[in-house]
Amino acid sequence: MELELTRVDYATVGLTGPNCLQLLPPIGSAAATTGSGGYKQQQKVAIGDQDGVLQVFSMKKDELQMHFKTLPGERIASVKLGGQVGSVADKMFIASENKVRGFNKKGKLFLAFETSLTETIRSMCVSGPDLLVCGNHVYNHYRDCKELGSYLCGDVIVDVAALCPHNTSRLITVLACSGRVLRVLEHSRVRQTIELDSVPTVLHVPKGLGDRMLCGFADGSVLLFHLNLQVAEVKREVLVSDQLNRDERDKEGLSAVTCIATYDLSGDGKEELIVGRRDGTLQVFTMNSDEYQFEMECTQIYRELFNESISSVQAGCVGANGYTEIVVCTYSGRVFGLTTQCIGKCLSDAGSFSGGVPVVQAIDTSAKLQRIRAEIYELEQTIAKERERYQLSTQAMSSGLSAIPMLPVNDSFVLSKSDATYLLSLEIPTPIEHVLLQCDTPVSLLDVEKNSAVVSFSECDKLSGNRLLASYRCQMNTNRIDLKIRTIEGQTGTLQVYITPNLQPKCCQLKRYPIKPLSLHVILHNVTDEMLARPMNVLTLKGPFSQAEVHNWMVNSIPELPEKRHEAGKVRFTFQHVFIGTLLVCEYGKGEATFRSDNISTVSILKDFITKEATKKRIKLEISSTINESTIPSLIKLIEPKIVHYNKLTKDFQLAQALLDLDIRDEDEFGTLSEEYRTLIRTHQTIEAEFRKQPTILNRIYGILTDLYIDKFKFKGVNVKTKLPQLIELLDNYTYDQLVHFYTIDKANDEDNKD
């Protein structure tokens, strides 16, 4: 079943962030709800923007009615609805800086509360008399504006949600943290830590459920969690994932989830799942259950791309009585509805009936067109006056300054585990003219099918420190751009991005992104004994350093580590290479650090980086390393499937291209070919598509194995670079035994290979 929705534009506000949109319940909402829990009377829309303006409007006879609008102020980080327990949640609470203000539906300020947070409020949740606010690292719990407790988190807190188990007065808090965990708190103490496979981005608790919660992730997936708070048990089910939903329109995979909502759009008593994404994609799924039972089958019934990231989604009744719709707010401040009503022909609220059949009345659009023309004329006159005033202010005799405010950039730089590349997303409120990339370390730019910009590269002079110079020239009215970047482990530097909007006077916004030495490692939570039983190489460091100093070294070398550690004593982290699957186990405390890995290159990179950082601070280190020869065969076995697959893919692609050049059109000639060649010709499109997607992946594998060979003998003080052509030849004609034999030959006694 496909859901048919029609777009209706409502308003344009300032720039918006997550959780900025809410739909107020209609007057007398207790009687205005349907049996499935949805509203059938028109609702007001409340929205807060980054200009600090909270405004509430509704629609009446296709006209926007503004109910109230606050003066500009501090940036609004969150808008939530609340009310007394058992009553309708019709009060609006907004968070800005470290303050929380409350407004009733008429716009009267009834609460102005300054929290004790020293950080800016990033996320907020209101549940009856309880107020939960979070900064980057601090969580505070208030009840009736009195502080009940707080929690200091090492990770960055992304979102917060409150669970109220059925028939109890308990309040359970869930914190979504950037360290790929959900922390379950009660009385401001961590009861449980739920480890995740990706970074959470948004939490959503469906109405009426006190123990189930939806969570969206940076990899595009959506999971349903059932928290059994009696026995501290957690069930989880994947509702939306990259593997389940990739199709021809979504070849690049799913974008990060920015907002989630649930609502009964079809009126069948079962709520649909509404998902908004960073790339502007909006999806609606049926969940085939009204109680969020597990083993549900999610089916996509609607999908549309709106070309700018979606900040918030809500569902209800806004445009016309009796018609449900999805209200969407984008980053640039566009507010529009996706309604189930057919706009071309609609039934009047006071429509007549003939024989029990409603009579369709035509809408008189002449008055509306005349009003729109008048508004356009007024806007044109205002623009002309402002343009003239600006020209006068830039004259030589004028004391005015030609300046433009800081350009806000909605950006993300996230490692994709599926293809071991970084996805850089850039979005600004005005059209982008061009984007310039500069990097002082070797990185590669990959094609993104969604990207329509034209790229051009410039030659780099290594003496100047540039290893990448590229510019993207964007099409007209392009507000966002996605770039894919492939890094090389062991190479550290900074990627600088210069974003030039299509504005006058010309200006440019600079964003910097660090490329860390172990850029392809992520934190691994679910570590099994089988993994730790692998043979390991060991690097041990001792010296007069503190735990904070060694943690800072780790933060600067590996992604996803929290900036600060609040726990005392020795800490331990386990990381995994997203491309080849090798492990890195780090244990460190004051004066001592131990690193174990089944990849010699990882140990070598860490040793070089930490030695360099310690030398800057004049810290003398005692370094000892143990190289385990048996790690090489196990690593080759780990990467063997990729070598075999991509070796075959490359050869099949080259052979298929040669066969196509023969231009065989006759069936008899085609029949003279072997079955293998006929299969290659039939499947050449599939082979070419896979090869074009990862054209240099075989070179990447070869690079990892050559680095392994060089790093092994570097620990022995031997230079083996002259042997690399022989290694490449072995890789081209790969056999496991020959390759392992080549690595295990001791070259240390070969005097010709010494430095």
Side-chain angles (χ1 to χ4, degrees), residues 117-137:
L117 259 70
T118 56
E119 301 177 329
T120 300
I121 296 175
R122 181 170 178 174
S123 53
M124 176 179 68
C125 182
V126 179
S127 177
D130 295 284
L131 172 66
L132 315 176
V133 291
C134 298
N136 282 328
H137 298 280

Side-chain angles (χ1 to χ4, degrees), residues 376-394:
I376 293 174
Y377 178 77
E378 290 178 7
L379 288 173
E380 288 174 346
Q381 294 299 314
T382 303
I383 291 172
K385 290 179 181 178
E386 290 296 324
R387 187 171 291 154
E388 183 179 355
R389 188 171 65 86
Y390 173 74
Q391 293 294 336
L392 292 174
S393 67
T394 56

Side-chain angles (χ1 to χ4, degrees), residues 413 422-426 435 437 445-446 448 451 453 472 481-485 497:
F413 190 61
Y422 278 87
L423 179 63
L424 174 62
S425 296
L426 303 169
V435 176
L437 279 74
L445 295 178
L446 304 181
V448 178
N451 188 358
Y472 283 85
I481 184 172
D482 291 329
L483 308 175
K484 262 191 178 181
I485 298 167
V497 182

Side-chain angles (χ1 to χ4, degrees), residues 606-622:
L606 264 181
K607 178 185 174 184
D608 293 344
F609 179 77
I610 293 178
T611 303
K612 183 179 177 182
E613 293 296 309
T615 304
K616 289 179 182 178
K617 293 193 173 185
R618 298 183 180 180
I619 298 175
K620 187 176 180 180
L621 296 177
E622 295 180 23

Side-chain angles (χ1 to χ4, degrees), residues 46-280:
I47 185 167
D49 56 34
Q50 295 186 15
D51 295 330
V53 178
L54 172 69
Q55 49 189 305
V56 176
F57 66 85
S58 65
M59 299 300 295
K60 185 177 181 181
K61 295 182 179 179
D62 297 330
E63 292 184 13
L64 187 140
Q65 303 288 324
M66 186 65 66
H67 295 276
F68 76 88
K69 185 176 182 180
T70 64
L71 295 174
E74 298 163 337
R75 175 182 180 270
I76 296 176
S78 181
V79 179
K80 294 292 183 180
L81 297 181
Q84 295 181 356
V85 178
S87 65
V88 178
D90 58 353
K91 308 251 184 332
M92 292 163 284
F93 296 86
I94 64 172
S96 53
E97 294 294 329
N98 67 335
K99 304 178 186 67
V100 176
R101 290 178 291 166
F103 295 86
N104 63 18
K105 55 188 176 183
K106 294 183 179 179
K108 182 180 179 181
L109 178 69
F110 68 87
L111 174 67
F113 174 57
E114 185 171 352
T115 67
S116 58
L117 259 70
T118 56
E119 301 177 329
T120 300
I121 296 175
R122 181 170 178 174
S123 53
M124 176 179 68
C125 182
V126 179
S127 177
D130 295 284
L131 172 66
L132 315 176
V133 291
C134 298
N136 282 328
H137 298 280
V138 181
Y139 155 81
N140 275 14
H141 179 194
Y142 300 92
R143 179 169 293 167
D144 295 325
C145 296
K146 295 180 181 179
E147 185 172 348
L148 293 184
S150 63
Y151 171 70
L152 183 61
C153 181
D155 300 331
V156 174
I157 301 173
V158 178
D159 201 2
V160 59
L163 296 174
C164 299
H166 297 298
N167 302 322
T168 65
S169 59
R170 295 170 62 190
L171 181 73
I172 306 298
T173 303
V174 181
L175 301 181
C177 303
S178 61
R180 292 199 283 118
V181 294
L182 297 180
R183 289 185 168 88
V184 183
L185 279 66
E186 188 171 16
H187 305 301
S188 301
R189 295 183 180 180
V190 178
R191 282 195 49 181
Q192 195 174 1
T193 300
I194 305 172
E195 297 168 345
L196 307 170
D197 295 329
S198 181
V199 178
T201 55
V202 63
L203 299 176
H204 174 74
V205 179
K207 292 181 180 179
L209 297 177
D211 57 357
R212 289 170 175 81
M213 179 184 64
L214 296 166
C215 183
F217 293 90
D219 65 357
S221 60
V222 178
L223 267 64
L224 170 66
F225 291 91
H226 181 191
L227 281 69
N228 190 336
L229 302 172
Q230 300 297 328
V231 294
E233 179 187 3
V234 177
K235 294 180 181 179
R236 66 182 81 189
E237 179 179 359
V238 178
L239 299 183
V240 181
S241 71
D242 187 28
Q243 289 75 21
L244 294 175
N245 293 278
R246 181 171 293 186
D247 56 22
E248 289 300 320
R249 298 170 298 176
D250 195 19
K251 295 178 181 178
E252 294 293 337
L254 297 176
S255 179
V257 178
T258 55
C259 47
I260 296 175
T262 53
Y263 198 82
D264 182 13
L265 294 169
S266 56
D268 59 357
K270 298 177 182 178
E271 291 189 338
E272 280 78 29
L273 172 64
I274 307 165
V275 180
R277 302 188 180 276
R278 179 178 288 276
D279 65 352

